[in-house]
Each structure stands twice: as C-alpha cells, then as structure tokens.
Amino acid sequence: MSKKSPYRFCFGPWNISEGADPYGPATRPAQTFNWKLAKLKEAGFDAMMFHDDDAVPDIDNKSEAQIRKEAKELKKKLDDLGIAAEMVAPRLWFSPNTIDGAYTSNNPGHRQYAIDRSLRSIDIAKILGTDILVLWLAREGTYIRESKSGRHSVELLVQAFDKMLAHDKKIRVAIEPKPNEPMDHAYIPTIGHALAVANLTRDPKRVGCLIESAHAILAGLDPADEIDFAMAFGKLWSLHLNDQNGLKYDQDRPFGNTNLRSAFDQVRALERNGYGKNGEYVCFDVHPFRTTKPERWLDHLTNSRRTFLRLLEKARTFDEATAKQFIADWNYQALDQMVLDHLMGK
Ligand code: GLO
Ligand code: MG
C-alpha cells in the first residue's frame, strides 16, 4: 500500500446471517450476538452497525429505563473490546405495527409507533456514542398507487424527520435509499430524493444519506456517481458497499463480486472526495452465500475488505497524468483500455 489506508471498516450483526431465504430455512445454526462481536474484533474490523433491537433485543416489550440500562451495558462491552458503534437504525419493517408502512402508514397509531421507536433509537445511539441514525425506509412506498397520496407521504416523512431532529440537537439522520423491495416503489428511491427531502426539514444540515451500491444499481444508477453527488453536498455519512447482478432481488453480494470496474470507480470516487476524513466508516452490507460453512462465516466480509484495499491501491496507482492527456485528446478509447489494463495488471 503506497500510503496508509485512512479507512475504517464495519458491518452489522445481520451480515453474519444464517442462510434462510424466502424459499428455504437457515443453513447455519444461529450464533449469539457476543460471538459476532468477538468475530468482528478477531477479523480486525473497527465498528459495528446496530439496529435498535440488535442493541436492545425485544425492544418493544421493554421500558425506557430498561432500554437505557441495556444500552449502557452494551456500550461498556463495546468499550472493553475497543469496538465503536457506527450507527443505530430503527428496524421498522418487522413489527405488526408497520405492515402498511411506518411513517407513511395509513394508520395514525402505527405512524406514532414508528416515530416513538425512532426517538428511542436516537436515545440508544446517544448512549452508544454515535450521532448517526440510519433510516432505511423499507416499507415507505406502495404496491397499490391509489392506496396512498405520494404528496401526503412526503409530508408525513418530513414531519417524522422533524420530530427526530427536535428530539436531539446533535443527531444526524442518514437516509438509505432503495428503489424497491420490499415495496414495489419506494418514496425515497435515490440519493437525489433523499437530499431533496432533507431540504424540507427543520434542519437540512442534519439530514444526509447512506449509499448502498446494490440499491443504486437497482435504481439503474452508477454507485460511483451517487457517491460523487452526495459528496458534492457534503452529505455522505455512511456507506454500504456490496454488489448486485442486474435488476432483480437485492443480492448483497461481496464488494466487487459482479462488476470489478464499478467497484474500482466507487473506491476512486471515495478517494477523490476524501471519504472517511470526518470519521465516516466503510461498511459492508453483504451476506454469505447459502452454502457457506460456519467455519467460513466471515469470509464474505474479510474478502470485501480485501477487495476494497486492493482497489484502493489500484486507485492510488492509476496513471492520472496519462489519463488527463487521453481526456484532453478525447481519446476515450485509450482511456477505457487503460482502465482495463490497470485492473488486469497488464
Ligand atoms: C436492505 C438494507 C438493510 C439496511 C439495514 C440498516 O436492503 O440494505 O440491510 O441497510 O437494515 O438499516
Ligand atoms: Mg444496506
């Protein structure tokens, strides 16, 4: 490596998954949260991402006091291990109260549930020492267009974000867009949508985004361009690197697995924008292949990091001067081949 990598890496407990899919059961026995934490440490990662109920299991059935107590115990455990909490995200897609959406449900009681749970997530984030609340708006969208008003849904989203921003003066909301799945169409499908909605809130400076490579690909976009776009606004606060083969179900493949060139472009975009300089982490939202044996349970994560670091080396050794000459001469054919040669190692 030419320069020391400034990047720090993380993943979530859900990324050590058991192999279940909609068509078949788990293929690996579940492991405890403590085991996952120990493995993260052993594999040399720096931080863990948390859903609210990863941090405090069975959160809906616990009192405020109990939630705070358990969050404090977790913080101590993390400190003892030297692991940071990267973010907290309310898991708003599992509950019977979010069947019709969370902040945009047609049921006012359910909308309130979603907001209350988000405020609790903010409290947990504060205790765990992170100011990032990630919102993957899983069920904010429609199957049946006529069942909701898109305009009213935007207003409901803004009202919900405003309550979060008012609840804690320091919290920053990072919206994780995804165009579809589980919904047919989501209300916030791209980074452009996320940043536009940010401007309607009471404190746009504290509403930014998280880019997931696969989600950008599902929206028909180039993840590297999404990175440049978000960073032009200074609003890329977290990142879920992974890969995706075309427009189908969300695959969460290891980073670089499908399109190495696109992965290179993403790393190059991160480098050129100085991602990580304000403490942002590189997270991998990847899943093991269903056939993975328990003894190789973290390989998709360590391989993703390895690919990232190798592509970082490629980004740093890319012959920028020659590329500039090709660009000045409109010789994009040569530029194109230069990228391929560089990636193939000549
Ligand atoms: C699913 C999302 C999901 C979120 C995670 C954090 O498509 O990528 O994994 O990133 O739940 O909120
Ligand atoms: Mg994600």
Side-chain angles (χ1 to χ4, degrees):
M1 196 81 20
S2 42
K3 274 186 268 167
K4 197 184 165 315
S5 157
Y7 295 96
R8 295 182 301 167
F9 299 95
C10 83
F11 61 82
W14 67 90
N15 298 120
I16 309 185
S17 52
E18 289 88 33
D21 68 18
Y23 306 98
T27 54
R28 291 172 292 276
Q31 274 293 357
T32 61
F33 174 73
N34 284 343
W35 184 89
K36 293 180 180 184
L37 216 47
K39 286 287 168 192
L40 177 139
K41 182 75 193 165
E42 207 179 293
F45 281 74
D46 306 287
M48 188 164 249
M49 310 188 265
F50 289 95
H51 291 122
D52 52 356
D53 57 359
D54 293 323
V56 180
D58 196 23
I59 192 166
D60 280 336
N61 295 315
K62 287 181 179 158
S63 66
E64 300 287 330
Q66 184 67 20
I67 291 169
R68 299 184 86 81
K69 180 172 167 283
E70 288 186 33
K72 281 183 188 152
E73 286 163 6
L74 173 60
K75 170 70 172 149
K76 172 149 192 345
K77 198 185 290 180
L78 293 175
D79 285 350
D80 289 348
L81 285 166
I83 296 171
E86 193 256 349
M87 63 83 169
V88 177
R91 199 198 299 263
L92 290 173
W93 49 96
F94 253 68
S95 160
N97 291 329
T98 55
I99 289 173
D100 184 39
Y103 313 121
T104 63
S105 169
N106 279 327
N107 178 317
H110 290 181
R111 295 202 295 272
Q112 191 58 48
Y113 163 84
I115 290 170
D116 290 344
R117 197 158 156 173
S118 306
L119 302 188
R120 242 176 271 145
S121 296
I122 292 173
D123 297 340
I124 295 172
K126 205 168 181 176
I127 293 170
L128 296 188
T130 171
D131 65 349
I132 302 276
L133 181 82
V134 166
L135 297 180
W136 171 43
L137 303 167
R139 297 196 187 278
E140 317 298 0
T142 54
Y143 287 109
I144 302 298
R145 178 68 54 247
E146 298 79 7
S147 66
K148 290 183 182 176
S149 148
R151 166 72 192 261
H152 186 49
S153 293
V154 170
E155 287 160 4
L156 290 173
L157 286 171
V158 171
Q159 281 168 25
F161 299 159
D162 278 349
K163 295 215 169 96
M164 296 172 218
L165 295 168
H167 182 73
D168 184 309
K169 294 280 169 287
K170 293 256 164 68
I171 202 73
R172 291 185 293 156
V173 174
I175 300 174
E176 179 181 351
K178 182 177 180 182
N180 60 283
E181 201 201 34
M183 304 314 290
D184 177 28
H185 287 284
Y187 285 130
I188 310 281
T190 69
I191 295 304
H193 288 79
L195 298 189
V197 162
N199 272 340
L200 295 178
T201 66
R202 58 186 287 152
D203 194 356
K205 284 194 305 305
R206 288 194 288 136
V207 183
C209 63
L210 178 167
I211 290 173
E212 173 161 327
S213 326
H215 297 181
I217 296 165
L218 284 170
L221 299 172
D222 186 316
D225 283 347
E226 287 283 83
I227 289 170
D228 272 331
F229 186 86
M231 294 200 77
F233 290 80
K235 291 246 181 147
L236 186 60
W237 299 336
S238 186
L239 189 63
H240 286 180
L241 293 182
N242 57 14
D243 214 343
Q244 168 76 25
N245 187 21
L247 302 183
K248 45 185 98 169
Y249 62 95
D250 186 9
Q251 297 183 312
D252 293 330
R253 291 171 175 233
F255 183 53
N257 151 300
T258 307
N259 189 338
L260 199 58
R261 183 177 184 164
S262 164
F264 168 71
D265 287 332
Q266 290 171 63
V267 174
R268 208 160 162 247
L270 294 169
E271 268 287 274
R272 119 173 107 233
N273 286 289
Y275 184 82
K277 298 237 159 77
N278 298 314
E280 305 90 349
Y281 288 86
V282 171
C283 310
F284 298 109
D285 198 354
V286 292
H287 284 275
F289 302 130
R290 196 156 188 260
T291 48
T292 302
K293 297 191 172 139
E295 59 271 27
R296 301 194 199 104
W297 211 333
L298 261 73
D299 287 5
H300 60 307
L301 292 157
T302 53
N303 286 344
S304 291
R305 182 181 55 190
R306 175 185 159 84
T307 303
F308 180 94
L309 289 171
R310 291 201 64 186
L311 288 174
L312 182 61
E313 184 66 15
K314 289 285 177 191
R316 287 176 177 175
T317 54
F318 187 64
D319 184 352
E320 300 288 353
T322 304
K324 246 192 205 134
Q325 283 170 15
F326 289 148
I327 291 165
D329 191 29
W330 273 1
N331 192 350
Y332 296 166
Q333 191 65 61
L335 178 67
D336 180 47
Q337 192 57 35
M338 186 182 143
V339 172
L340 294 181
D341 282 339
H342 188 58
L343 287 177
M344 291 189 287
K346 283 255 165 67

